[in-house]
Each structure stands twice: as structure tokens, then as C-alpha cells.
């Protein structure tokens, strides 16, 4: 009986969520088209429903980007299995020219990312600029094709509103940020 | 042949009759190598600017009004706050009407980077990059690079010294530079496509000692020519902005890459 | 290790007085000194003098814990006023709202300048808090500003003094929070590139972090801040003057001023105190370049908290205030009269405007000072009553200057500069300085008169039948309006034949005749 009610509630809230308009301050308002590591097209709004960790990276990045993935992992490992199942991770490439679907797929496999929850995505150059602007990420393409970019891990709520951000990158998560992730996951 | 000529003339006449310049008036800016005032570590400050097209003057209130009429999501009151903050187009009397102090030919201001980008994209264009902007702005009436002339600098500093409480002049009043572009100085600050790429610290005294983890990779840009305060100020202004921000003295113009 | 009372040791090493000191005792003394490892931790006595107090402990001991009670909105004041003492004994949360405005104001009579300000004034609003306070700082940049601005408070321990967290575009606001860990009087200023230009345009002020026990009570507290200013035009050249970057780089100041204008502390704006009162001045120096030799003519500072720190020196005549630094001076008013506040790097006081006044009212105290009031001879044209000069400047700006206005302004200026030698009645001094009254020399040739004022005159000259051979130095530091008004006054006084000299006439002579060596423009 309890399970039935819980399921009904979940279904109800999911439906209710979809029916409610997207909040004004949600970054999912961006309508550009994205592709994931499996080549499937999606819009950001389709990611509504669960809290999200978002960051920007590129596959040929030598310095910080591996650390960004480690940061996402670090948060994952600090969560209980129940909490973890409620969290999604989205990494958007700064370098759509070279990060095609195959490159994203390669990295996802190489780093053994849980594809049910982790998405590596690409969009066109103008979409990259806008995504970065919405996330507060600054970047510049260098002459050799590398990028200078600010490194941040951003927590979004189930509706795509920014809840928290941290610039402390590394396998050991920023405790304050982690606390906010847990709080977001505790929401019904 | 005659009908096409006639059509051409008619089309243009129609454009002019709107009161809005239908072709948005682009000029060709021939490319070249250029020493930027921003000291890029990867290129020793030298930037190669490819030839491109730039609007002769900033986008006007009239042109932007035409755009929002055709693109309701960008009207004041309808625009999503995440794309433009509260005072977006505050100087117009209504979302679809200008005002006595916001005339047709004044450069449009109180627009965010998202709104400016959307306008340019709607016209098959984009915002100019900082490099393209700096390159175009280095010119005066007779020289492609007038930056070493103290008079050029003083004139620009003189504009900086005036607060922004006087009405804006209409576009196209200042003398054109050697490329035929006007109003790059003395009218409004202008958005660039990559204003957020400047990666300068808010505290510009810490130049060259950027937190290396904060800006991934080779570290952030430092200002090279400290005496070229005219450029420094513009970088400082853009660095202070976020994409959804507006100010009453910041407008934009569009650029196009050559095929 | 604790220092032993080393009185004995110090006497032992008085080499001059006690010639019999053996080398051995000297060696032992030296050994004692090094092995005891004298530390500063406890009270030490020297051969003579009071015990030195303990250190405040600096920032390491400056955190008094979280704020207590309701948040307080800071009271900010415009110069020269200072907010009242906080009177607090526990740390508080203080909310500061400071607005940045770009305003055009007069820097000198008839000379306008676009200042960038904190709170609409130069210097900016005075902020007063207590050590240990947590400050929630809001920097608001007015929408009419052309430029983005930020703030670096020297009281802040943190990156850029707050500058990194407060970069604010026009029409926007930034917020950051800091805890004031050190007591003292601190400068704040804008640190947006180019920093020198923002500071030169007036973006500085003072924040006082009171020591935990507060400052000793005084009767009056005032806020005085010096700054150097750089304009394209010359000193006192009328009109709207832009900032001159090259002069700023060359450190060639056009104006050196207290509180942002020549008249900020003169005339009706002079500071006031009563005889018998103690006065404290919170003195700042925004720079951008020059260090101040701060002095009050006719006063001695009983106490100077050097560089705005925690300890004071006593009995000081002139104290240094670094650019980007401060000082707190205290003195006691004994006699009525006027104290003249100057930068004693003296050309700045008399030729660039670094001059203010503090007026003491009350009964005479002849035992202390029996002489007369500060003399116009000393102050030159600074003592000139401002009103007719201001009226003439305003009239010149609007193109309505009348003969009468020129004469009145000229009279005030003459009293300051020319009466020293030619006397107030224009009669001069027999055989020494020629008369101007009923002067055939003056009336005969106006152009020559202008030349004499600008270029001076040496060698024999005959006036009204009498020969004079003296030296008149060039008065080329006076600008065109001043020379025109003075000569117009002279021509229309003391039975002279009348006439009118315009600033244009003077300009013509200035540009067509050579100045002697060492004269000003």
C-alpha cells in the first residue's frame, strides 16, 4: 500500500513538474540544441526533475579538466547510494570543433562514467558561449587550440536554478558545497 | 536586367522608407596583424585579425525596436530575467514604443549581452570579438593605428571623464575612421562576443599573479601597455559585466565573418 | 626569556662618563645582554622614562568573536564632519552603504572638474567602526556613472582590500563582508585600472577603526584629507578642466588641496573651535603621488598618532602623511585667532592651494600671545576676501563682468599681494617703493603697466618726478584675470585717471614679452 502511494505521489509530482512553467531564473531557459555522448539530441529543459551538477570542460584538456571529472566523482563518492541515484551530472564541452560525439563517447568510456547519470554534451559555438554565460564560466581559446577557462562545479536544482557553485576543484569535495548537494537531494 | 534593377531599387527604397536601415550598413574591415593592449601569453600580444565586416554605427533604438516587434520573446516584460535583468530597455516608454529622450537614431542601450547576441544572430551576424573591436578602434581618420598619438588618447580619456547623465547623441555624427566605421569612441561602451574571455582580475593591481587554479592553464591575461589607459578602461568596463547585465551607456554593433 | 631589570647594565655602558669601565665588565655586559635574550613581551624600564605599554597584538589578537546584538547601519558623514564615537564595548555587525557618483564641481574659483567620488564628496564619506566589528559593505555605483568602480579599504585583511570583490558596473551594486582586525585610521580608495586616474579624480576617503576602549574624549573632531590634482590647464585657468595623465605620471601637480577644492577650508568653510577646547584632526592623504608635510601655522600638535597607528608622539610641529596614509593630530586651543592648515612643502600651500583655516573664538590670552592676527603679508593673495573674487569669476564665466566687479575683486587681490610694498593707500614708501596713487608712470602707458606686473622691473625709474631704483619681482604667478582686476582697481583708485584692463590685454602681453629667468609662466 505504502509503495503504491509513494509511486502515485512520485508520478503525480513528476507530472506536476512537467506541467509547471520553467522558472524565470532557470538556466534551462536556453533553447539551444545539445548532443550527448551517444549522439542523442536534447534540450536543457529535458533535464528537469533531478538536481544536477554542471561543469564545462573539453576532452583534450591537459590541466584542470581531468580534475573536473574527479571533482564530480568526489561528490558522487561522498553520497549514499540513495542520494547518488537522485543526482545527475552534465559536462558541456567548450570545444565543439574537436569534441564530436565520438570524442565524448571515448572519454566517457575511458573514465568509466556511469552513463545512466553522467552526460557529456556538445553544442554549437554560440550555444557554448551562452551556456558559459549562464553558468558564469569564463574561457578563451588559445592559439594552439587549448582553452584558458575558469573552473567551477555548479549545482542546479530540479528546475535548473543555480543553488551553489564551488571553484575548489579536486577529488576531495568542498565540504560546504557538498552539504548543499545533500540538502538539494533531500528535497522531495 | 531592367526588372531586376528596378526590383533592387524598389527593395532599397522600401528599406529606407521604413525609417530603419534595412541593410544595417556594414563596411569591410581588411585584416592584419595587430599588437593588442592585452598581453596574451600564447601569442606575445600579437593578434592576427582576419578581414571581416563591421556595422558602420552602433545599433539604434529604431533598429532594435524593429527586432523586438518581430521577436516577442525579446520584448521588455516578456524577456526571461536570466537573459536580461530588470531594467532592460527601461528608457523606452513602453515595450514597443520609444520615448522623447530615447530617439530613433540614438544607439540602443540597456540591452544585455544575450539580447545583443540575439539581435545579431537574427540578422545572420554576430557580435564582434574583442580583437576585431580593438583593431577597428585603433584607427583614426587617416591611420590604421593611431594609438601612439597622445592626441588620440586624450580625446578618448576626455569622454571617460564625462558622467553618463547627458542625452546620447544620434549615431553617425562622429568622423569615420580609415575603414569608414564611426562612433567607436565617444558614444557608448559596446558589447563584444567574447567580453567574458578577458579573464582579468577585478583587482587589476594583481596583474601577472593570477591564481593559476582559478583560470585553468597558462594563467590570465595581463594588460601590456599600461600607458594606454584608453584601452584599459574599456577592458575594465567589460570585465565588470555579466551577460544578463545592462547599463545605460552600453550598446553594441554587429559583425560578420567573411565566407 | 624575561628581561632582567637592566638599569645597572645601561649605566655600565655609558662609555663617555665612566672612563674607568674595564674591558671585562663591558664583555660581561655584552654577554648578559645576548644570553638573557631580551624580549618585548613584558614591561621594560629604561634608565629614565615611563613604562612602555604592551603591544595591541595586531590582527592576531584583533578578532573579538561574532557580532553581538542587532546589525547597525553605519552613520557616514561628509567632510569635514566626523561621525560620533561608536561608544560600543562589544563587536557589532555594521552595514555600510556607500554610493559612487561622478560629479562636476568647482575645484577653484571658476574652474570646474569632473570628480569621481564616494558619497558625492572629495574626500569620500567618513566611516567609523570599532575593532572587531563585522562590516557588511555595499558598494553602489550610480547609473549615471560612465565607469565601473570598486573599493580597496586599507582596514581590510583580504585580497585587494575588498577590491577583488567589489568591482561594480554603473547601475549595479556589490557586497562583501570583512572583519576589522586592526585598530587605526585607514585610507580607502578605488582600485579600478588605471588606479592612478581613479585616485587622482578624488576616489578616496578614511575609515576609522576605533581601538576597543575608544579614543580619549576631545571637544572637536574634524576630517581633513589632502590630495594632488592634475589638469590640462594651468593653475586657476578658468573653465572645465580635464584630467592630465602625463602630468600625473610626471608627478607635476596643478593643485594640491585639502578636501577637494581651494575654498574647502577657507572663509565660511573654515573649521571652528573655541578657546580652551581640544581638537582632533583625522588627517588623510589620498595622493595619488605627493607626501604631505602637515602643519598648522600657530599650533603645535600635543599628540600625533603617527601614520594613524596606535601610539602617539608628543609636541610635534610638522608631521609626514604618506600618500595612501593617514595621521591623527591633537592640539589644544589657547588663544583666539586663526590657525592656518598647510602642507609645509610650502609652494604647494601658496601656489597650488594646499591651505585651510581653523578659527578659534574666545577671550584673548595675552600671556600666551600678544601679537596681531595672522597677517595678509604672510598669506599673500590667500588672505583675499573670497567673495568679490568669486563674484568676478562667475561674471567672467557668464560674460557679464563689469568695471565695478573688476575693481572690487582687484581691491581684495591688491590687499593680499601688492600692498606689502605699495601700501594699502597706494603711496608706496618714500625712496624705496614708488607710489601708485596719482602716478604719472602708471597712467601714461597701460601696456607697460601690464609688462611691469608680469615681468617685474629693475633699474632706475622716475615716478611723479622722483627717482627710484629698486627691484620689483615678476608677479607672473598671477593669472590673467587677477592681473587685469588688480590693475583696473589701481587705475580707478587714489586719484588715478581711470581705465579698464581686460584679461585678454594681459594675455597678449604675456605671450608677446619674455619672462625673466626663474619667473613662472
Amino acid at each position: 500500500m505504502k509503495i503504491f502511494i509513494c509511486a502515485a505521489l512520485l508520478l503525480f509530482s513528476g507530472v506536476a513538474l512537467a506541467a509547471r512553467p520553467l522558472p524565470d531564473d532557470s538556466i534551462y531557459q536556453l533553447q539551444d540544441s545539445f548532443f550527448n555522448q551517444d549522439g542523442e539530441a536534447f534540450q536543457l529543459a529535458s533535464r528537469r526533475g533531478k538536481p544536477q551538477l554542471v561543469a564545462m570542460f573539453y576532452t583534450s584538456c591537459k590541466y584542470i579538466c581531468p580534475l573536473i571529472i574527479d571533482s564530480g566523482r568526489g561528490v558522487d563518492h561522498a553520497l549514499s547510494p540513495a542520494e547518488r541515484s537522485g543526482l545527475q551530472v552534465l559536462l558541456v564541452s567548450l570545444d565543439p570543433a574537436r569534441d564530436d560525439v565520438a570524442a565524448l563517447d571515448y572519454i566517457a568510456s575511458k573514465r568509466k562514467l556511469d552513463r545512466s547519470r553522467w552526460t557529456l554534451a556538445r553544442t554549437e559555438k554560440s550555444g557554448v558561449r551562452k551556456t558559459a554565460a549562464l553558468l558564469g564560466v569564463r574561457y578563451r581559446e588559445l592559439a594552439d587550440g587549448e582553452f584558458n577557462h575558469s573552473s567551477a562545479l555548479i549545482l542546479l536544482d530540479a528546475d535548473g536554478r543555480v543553488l551553489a557553485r564551488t571553484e575548489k576543484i579536486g577529488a576531495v569535495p568542498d565540504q560546504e558545497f557538498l552539504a548543499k548537494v545533500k540538502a538539494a537531494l533531500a528535497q522531495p | 536586367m531592367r526588372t531586376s534593377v528596378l526590383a533592387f531599387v524598389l527593395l532599397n527604397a522600401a528599406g529606407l522608407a521604413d525609417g530603419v536601415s534595412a541593410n544595417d550598413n556594414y563596411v569591410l574591415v581588411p585584416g592584419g596583424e595587430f599588437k593588442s593592449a592585452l598581453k596574451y601569453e600564447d601569442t606575445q600580444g600579437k593578434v592576427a585579425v582576419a578581414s571581416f565586416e563591421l556595422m558602420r554605427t552602433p545599433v539604434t533604438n529604431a533598429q532594435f525596436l524593429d527586432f523586438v516587434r518581430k521577436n516577442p520573446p525579446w520584448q521588455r516584460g516578456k524577456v526571461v530575467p536570466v537573459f536580461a535583468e530588470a531594467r532592460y530597455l527601461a528608457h523606452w516608454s513602453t515595450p514597443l514604443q520609444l520615448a522623447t529622450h530615447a530617439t530613433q537614431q540614438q544607439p540602443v542601450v540597456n540591452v544585455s549581452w544575450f539580447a545583443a547576441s540575439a539581435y545579431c544572430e537574427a540578422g545572420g551576424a554576430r557580435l564582434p570579438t574583442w580583437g576585431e573591436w580593438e583593431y577597428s578602434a585603433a584607427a583614426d581618420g587617416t591611420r590604421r593605428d593611431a594609438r601612439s598619438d597622445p592626441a588620440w588618447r586624450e580625446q578618448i580619456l576626455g569622454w571617460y571623464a564625462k558622467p553618463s547623465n547627458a542625452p546620447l547623441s544620434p549615431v553617425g555624427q562622429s568622423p569615420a575612421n580609415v575603414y569608414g566605421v564611426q562612433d567607436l569612441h565617444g558614444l557608448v561602451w559596446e558589447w563584444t562576443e567574447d567580453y567574458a574571455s578577458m579573464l582579468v582580475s577585478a583587482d587589476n593591481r594583481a596583474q601577472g599573479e593570477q591564481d593559476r587554479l582559478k583560470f585553468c592553464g597558462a594563467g590570465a591575461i595581463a594588460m601590456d601597455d599600461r600607458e594606454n589607459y584608453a584601452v584599459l578602461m574599456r577592458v575594465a568596463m567589460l570585465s565588470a559585466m555579466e551577460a544578463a547585465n545592462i547599463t545605460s551607456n552600453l550598446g553594441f554593433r554587429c559583425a560578420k565573418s567573411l565566407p | 626569556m624575561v628581561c632582567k631589570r637592566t638599569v645597572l647594565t645601561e649605566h655600565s655602558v655609558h662609555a663617555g662618563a665612566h672612563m674607568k669601565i674595564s674591558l671585562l665588565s663591558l664583555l660581561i655586559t655584552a654577554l648578559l645582554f645576548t644570553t638573557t635574550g631580551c624580549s618585548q613581551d613584558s614591561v621594560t624600564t629604561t634608565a629614565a622614562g615611563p613604562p612602555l605599554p604592551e603591544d595591541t597584538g595586531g590582527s592576531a589578537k584583533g578578532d573579538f568573536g561574532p557580532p553581538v546584538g542587532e546589525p547597525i547601519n553605519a552613520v557616514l558623514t561628509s567632510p569635514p564632519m566626523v561621525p560620533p564615537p561608536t561608544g560600543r564595548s562589544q563587536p557589532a555587525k555594521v552595514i555600510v552603504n556607500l554610493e559612487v557618483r561622478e560629479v562636476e564641481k568647482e575645484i577653484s574659483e571658476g574652474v570646474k572638474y569632473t570628480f569621481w567620488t564616494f558619497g558625492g564628496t572629495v574626500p569620500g564619506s567618513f566611516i567609523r567602526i570599532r575593532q572587531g566589528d563585522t562590516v557588511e559593505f555595499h558598494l553602489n555605483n550610480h547609473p549615471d556613472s560612465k565607469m565601473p568602480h570598486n573599493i580597496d579599504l586599507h582596514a581590510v585583511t583580504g585580497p585587494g582590500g575588498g577590491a577583488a570583490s567589489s568591482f561594480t558596473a554603473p547601475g549595479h551594486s556589490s557586497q562583501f563582508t570583512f572583519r576589522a582586525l586592526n585598530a587605526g585610521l585607514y585610507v580607502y580608495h578605488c582600485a579600478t585600472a588605471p588606479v592612478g586616474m581613479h585616485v587622482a579624480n578624488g576616489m578616496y576617503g578614511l575609515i576609522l577603526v576605533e581601538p576597543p576602549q575608544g579614543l580619549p574624549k576631545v571637544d572637536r573632531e574634524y576630517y581633513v584629507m589632502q590630495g594632488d590634482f592634475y589638469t590640462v590647464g594651468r593653475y586657476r585657468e578658468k573653465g572645465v578642466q580635464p584630467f592630465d595623465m602625463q602630468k600625473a605620471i610626471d608627478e607635476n601637480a596643478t593643485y594640491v588641496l585639502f578636501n577637494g577644492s581651494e575654498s574647502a577650508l577657507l572663509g565660511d568653510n573654515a573649521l571652528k573651535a573655541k578657546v580652551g577646547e581640544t581638537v582632533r584632526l583625522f588627517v588623510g592623504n589620498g595622493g595619488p603621488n605627493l607626501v604631505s608635510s602637515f602643519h598648522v601655522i600657530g599650533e603645535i600638535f600635543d599628540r600625533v598618532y603617527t601614520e594613524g597607528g596606535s601610539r602617539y608622539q608628543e609636541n610635534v610641529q610638522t608631521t609626514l602623511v604618506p600618500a595612501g596614509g593617514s595621521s591623527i593630530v591633537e592640539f589644544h586651543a589657547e588663544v583666539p585667532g586663526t590657525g592656518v592648515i598647510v602642507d609645509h612643502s610650502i609652494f604647494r600651500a601658496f601656489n597650488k592651494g594646499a591651505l585651510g583655516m581653523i578659527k578659534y573664538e574666545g577671550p584673548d590670552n595675552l600671556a600666551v600671545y600678544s601679537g596681531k592676527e595672522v597677517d595678509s603679508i604672510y598669506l599673500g593673495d590667500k588672505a583675499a576676501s573670497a567673495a568679490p573674487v568669486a563674484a568676478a569669476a562667475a561674471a567672467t564665466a557668464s560674460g557679464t563682468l563689469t568695471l565695478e566687479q573688476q575693481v572690487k575683486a582687484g581691491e581684495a587681490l591688491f590687499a593680499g599681494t601688492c600692498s606689502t610694498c605699495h601700501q594699502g593707500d597706494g603711496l608706496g614708501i618714500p625712496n624705496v617703493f614708488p607710489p601708485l596713487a596719482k602716478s604719472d608712470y602708471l597712467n601714461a602707458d597701460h601696456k607697460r603697466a601690464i609688462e611691469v606686473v608680469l615681468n617685474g622691473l629693475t633699474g632706475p625709474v622716475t615716478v611723479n618726478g622722483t627717482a627710484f631704483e629698486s627691484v620689483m619681482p615678476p608677479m607672473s604667478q598671477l593669472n590673467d584675470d587677477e592681473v587685469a582686476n588688480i590693475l583696473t582697481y589701481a587705475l580707478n583708485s587714489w586719484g588715478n585717471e581711470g581705465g579698464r584692463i581686460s584679461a585678454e590685454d594681459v594675455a597678449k602681453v604675456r605671450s608677446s614679452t619674455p619672462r625673466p629667468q626663474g619667473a613662472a609662466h
Side-chain angles (χ1 to χ4, degrees):
Chain A
M1 184 59 182
K2 260 193 201 164
I3 297 166
F4 183 70
I5 292 173
C6 283
L9 276 169
L10 260 168
L11 193 67
F12 180 71
S13 57
V15 168
L17 208 64
R20 273 189 305 115
L22 201 55
D24 275 348
D25 49 346
S26 166
I27 70 155
Y28 295 161
Q29 292 277 1
L30 186 65
Q31 307 209 314
D32 291 45
S33 225
F34 288 75
F35 286 89
N36 67 14
Q37 67 268 17
D38 298 320
E40 294 160 338
F42 69 97
Q43 285 194 307
L44 290 179
S46 69
R47 301 189 72 82
R48 280 179 90 176
K50 283 187 176 176
Q52 199 103 206
L53 284 185
V54 190
M56 299 193 79
F57 84 121
Y58 60 107
T59 62
S60 52
C61 170
K62 297 181 187 72
Y63 304 109
I64 283 283
C65 306
L67 276 179
I68 291 181
I69 293 182
D70 286 341
S71 298
R73 277 244 175 84
V75 172
D76 260 2
H77 288 151
L79 299 172
S80 71
E83 285 173 326
R84 207 175 299 145
S85 65
L87 182 69
Q88 291 192 304
V89 183
L90 174 64
L91 300 181
V92 180
S93 171
L94 290 165
D95 188 9
R98 284 179 302 176
D99 283 346
D100 53 8
V101 168
L104 297 176
D105 182 53
Y106 174 73
I107 288 288
S109 300
K110 184 166 162 211
R111 299 298 306 260
K112 298 194 178 60
L113 303 176
D114 174 2
R115 288 173 189 240
S116 67
R117 294 186 308 109
W118 282 63
T119 305
L120 305 184
R122 69 180 297 285
T123 179
E124 293 312 308
K125 250 182 100 179
S126 62
V128 173
R129 282 255 169 242
K130 290 179 192 142
T131 308
L134 288 168
L135 292 173
V137 170
R138 295 183 170 233
Y139 69 97
R140 186 174 81 85
E141 184 166 5
L142 302 175
D144 59 359
E146 291 285 309
F147 286 80
N148 274 2
H149 61 99
S150 63
S151 307
L153 202 54
I154 297 120
L155 173 68
L156 303 177
D157 70 5
D159 276 335
R161 284 177 291 204
V162 176
L163 284 177
R165 60 187 301 121
T166 178
E167 267 151 28
K168 293 197 188 115
I169 305 297
V172 179
D174 171 356
Q175 290 305 308
E176 249 186 71
F177 182 74
L178 183 62
K180 295 206 175 115
V181 173
K182 291 193 173 209
L185 291 168
Q187 300 285 339
Chain B
M1 179 62 182
R2 276 215 199 119
T3 28
S4 55
V5 168
L6 193 64
F8 180 75
V9 169
L10 276 171
L11 268 168
N12 274 325
L16 291 168
D18 267 351
V20 167
S21 165
N23 62 359
D24 282 334
N25 223 354
Y26 284 85
V27 291
L28 176 70
V29 179
E33 219 186 42
F34 175 70
K35 189 162 191 302
S36 170
L38 295 180
K39 185 169 72 183
Y40 296 97
E41 280 156 347
D42 54 323
T43 53
Q44 274 84 55
K46 283 210 200 77
V47 181
V49 179
S51 302
F52 68 104
E53 288 188 314
L54 187 65
M55 276 187 183
R56 192 185 292 278
T57 56
V59 172
T60 61
N61 278 319
Q63 290 171 317
F64 205 77
L65 177 59
D66 188 50
F67 165 73
V68 301
R69 276 206 190 107
K70 296 175 184 149
N71 296 274
W74 289 104
Q75 287 170 16
R76 186 178 91 195
K78 294 203 177 116
V79 75
V80 181
V82 87
F83 292 140
E85 60 174 346
R87 276 171 301 118
Y88 176 66
L89 294 176
H91 60 308
W92 290 4
S93 58
T94 78
L96 287 172
Q97 275 177 295
L98 303 182
T100 42
H101 55 268
T103 63
Q104 293 213 337
Q105 289 310 305
Q106 280 176 338
V108 69
V109 290
N110 291 328
V111 286
S112 66
W113 177 83
F114 290 110
S117 301
Y119 177 98
C120 294
E121 278 166 24
R126 55 172 174 80
L127 288 170
T129 62
W130 166 261
E132 288 169 339
W133 203 96
E134 194 191 354
Y135 176 79
S136 311
D140 68 3
T142 50
R143 297 167 286 188
R144 290 175 71 158
D145 190 346
R147 293 174 300 167
S148 52
D149 184 350
W152 178 88
R153 238 186 274 164
E154 288 308 315
Q155 190 218 336
I156 294 169
L157 286 179
W159 177 64
Y160 294 158
K162 298 197 199 92
S164 275
N165 50 9
L168 291 169
S169 305
V171 304
Q173 307 281 301
S174 65
N177 70 14
V178 78
Y179 306 118
V181 182
Q182 294 168 287
D183 299 332
L184 288 166
H185 301 288
L187 189 50
V188 285
W189 302 112
E190 292 185 19
W191 283 112
T192 60
E193 181 189 71
D194 56 353
Y195 78 93
S197 300
M198 308 240 222
L199 296 179
V200 283
S201 159
D203 183 354
N204 289 94
R205 297 165 298 173
Q207 288 305 305
E209 287 179 30
Q210 304 304 328
D211 180 345
R212 302 241 144 187
L213 275 185
K214 189 162 183 224
F215 296 122
C216 160
I221 290 165
M223 291 298 299
D224 194 5
D225 181 3
R226 275 189 178 74
E227 293 202 321
N228 207 326
Y229 287 79
V231 182
L232 249 181
M233 312 273 248
R234 215 164 258 275
V235 175
M237 180 62 190
L238 288 174
S239 302
M241 301 302 293
E242 301 287 339
N245 284 168
I246 59 128
T247 79
S248 61
N249 54 15
L250 172 62
F252 71 102
R253 71 181 74 207
C254 302
K256 283 183 185 165
S257 304
L258 293 184
Chain C
M1 261 215 151
V2 173
C3 264
K4 296 185 195 240
R5 299 274 158 95
T6 49
V7 174
L8 202 68
T9 312
E10 303 220 29
H11 276 296
S12 307
V13 299
H14 267 297
H18 301 272
M19 295 308 288
K20 282 188 190 162
I21 295 166
S22 69
L23 206 59
L24 190 63
S25 64
L26 265 171
L27 270 168
I28 293 170
T29 313
L31 208 64
L32 269 171
F33 236 18
T34 46
T35 52
T36 49
C38 282
S39 73
Q40 296 288 326
D41 281 354
S42 58
V43 173
T44 54
T45 49
T46 54
L52 297 171
E54 279 185 27
D55 275 358
T56 64
S59 57
K61 292 194 181 158
D63 192 339
F64 302 149
V68 171
E70 288 300 306
I72 299 168
N73 281 312
V75 170
L76 306 181
T77 56
S78 296
M81 306 315 290
V82 176
T86 64
R88 284 199 289 279
S89 54
Q90 290 189 298
K93 178 160 185 182
V94 180
I95 300 169
V96 174
N97 265 294
L98 194 55
E99 184 187 52
V100 173
R101 279 210 303 283
E102 298 171 5
V103 283
E104 195 181 82
K105 294 206 290 189
E106 276 214 337
I107 189 172
S108 179
E109 300 293 1
V111 186
K112 283 196 151 68
Y113 188 85
T114 301
F115 293 98
W116 297 344
T117 74
F118 287 106
T121 57
V122 176
S125 311
F126 195 101
I127 308 171
R128 186 168 193 153
I129 58 174
R130 178 180 176 272
Q131 185 181 5
D133 280 347
T134 300
V135 179
E136 183 185 284
F137 201 99
H138 297 255
L139 189 68
N140 310 314
N141 192 355
H142 196 274
D144 283 350
S145 296
K146 179 68 63 65
M147 312 297 307
H149 297 286
N150 63 8
I151 191 166
D152 170 3
L153 299 123
H154 288 183
V156 173
T157 309
S165 323
S166 59
F167 201 27
T168 313
H172 291 82
S173 186
S174 294
Q175 179 186 329
F176 65 97
T177 302
F178 69 93
R179 189 162 290 178
L181 299 176
N182 295 68
L185 180 63
Y186 297 99
V187 168
Y188 68 77
H189 63 90
C190 179
T192 302
V195 182
M197 182 174 178
H198 285 250
V199 173
N201 283 343
M203 296 200 81
Y204 44 77
L206 288 179
I207 174 168
L208 172 67
V209 183
E210 292 175 339
Q213 72 281 12
L215 291 171
K217 191 183 172 316
V218 293
D219 297 303
R220 307 258 177 176
E221 288 180 324
Y222 287 113
Y223 172 24
V224 175
M225 195 154 187
Q226 184 172 324
D228 22 299
F229 298 89
Y230 303 83
T231 62
V232 170
R234 285 189 312 271
Y235 173 67
R236 289 188 174 172
E237 192 174 309
K238 309 279 183 270
V240 180
Q241 288 293 341
F243 168 69
D244 190 325
M245 177 63 78
Q246 194 54 53
K247 284 187 190 167
I249 293 171
D250 294 339
E251 301 191 22
N252 176 11
T254 319
Y255 296 88
V256 181
L257 304 171
F258 295 115
N259 294 5
S261 80
E262 278 218 67
S263 56
L265 298 178
L266 292 178
D268 291 335
N269 299 325
L271 303 179
K272 292 180 181 48
K274 293 204 175 72
V275 170
E277 287 184 333
T278 45
V279 179
R280 175 182 292 138
L281 299 183
F282 294 107
V283 183
N285 184 359
N289 291 320
L290 305 180
V291 173
S292 178
S293 311
F294 190 76
H295 176 85
V296 178
I297 300 175
E299 235 350 306
I300 297 159
F301 303 136
D302 297 321
R303 284 187 185 184
V304 174
Y305 290 80
T306 318
E307 293 163 11
S310 300
R311 293 173 195 260
Y312 56 84
Q313 176 59 286
E314 295 186 84
N315 305 319
V316 174
Q317 68 198 288
T318 302
T319 191
L320 283 173
V321 189
S326 73
S327 185
I328 306 176
V329 304
E330 294 175 4
F331 48 92
H332 182 247
E334 267 87 29
V335 291
T338 306
V340 185
I341 303 166
V342 295
D343 180 342
H344 215 292
S345 302
I346 208 74
F347 271 95
R348 299 174 194 175
F350 296 127
N351 296 75
K352 295 189 177 181
L355 196 141
M357 290 181 183
I358 175 164
K359 296 200 166 121
Y360 310 116
E361 272 147 33
D364 278 317
N365 189 344
L366 298 174
V368 171
Y369 187 74
S370 65
K372 53 182 177 174
E373 176 55 83
V374 108
D375 208 39
S376 59
I377 289 170
Y378 189 90
L379 291 175
D381 57 40
K382 303 293 171 187
S385 162
V389 177
T396 310
S398 61
T400 58
L401 187 65
T402 64
L403 178 70
E404 212 199 318
Q405 282 169 327
Q406 279 197 277
V407 168
K408 279 214 153 57
E411 180 180 5
L413 293 163
F414 182 92
T417 308
C418 320
S419 62
T420 315
C421 299
H422 293 289
Q423 304 306 300
D425 52 16
L427 291 174
I429 297 188
N431 300 316
V432 186
F433 301 127
L436 298 173
K438 292 204 186 90
S439 161
D440 55 7
Y441 187 90
L442 173 64
N443 290 300
D445 187 346
H446 292 183
K447 186 163 165 293
R448 179 179 60 184
I450 299 173
E451 275 181 55
V452 169
V453 172
L454 287 180
N455 302 326
L457 187 63
T458 42
V461 66
T462 305
V463 180
N464 296 348
T466 313
F468 292 86
E469 186 158 1
S470 195
V471 176
M472 171 158 165
M475 296 289 139
S476 51
Q477 80 282 5
L478 297 172
N479 67 23
D480 297 342
D481 301 70
E482 289 163 341
V483 175
N485 294 344
I486 289 171
L487 282 172
T488 303
Y489 165 69
L491 287 170
N492 288 281
S493 306
W494 320 301
N496 281 323
E497 287 161 26
R500 191 174 180 184
I501 310 257
S502 71
E504 287 75 37
D505 297 330
V506 179
K508 271 199 213 113
V509 174
R510 194 190 291 276
S511 57
S512 60
T513 59
R515 223 74 55 230
Q517 268 199 331
H521 69 90

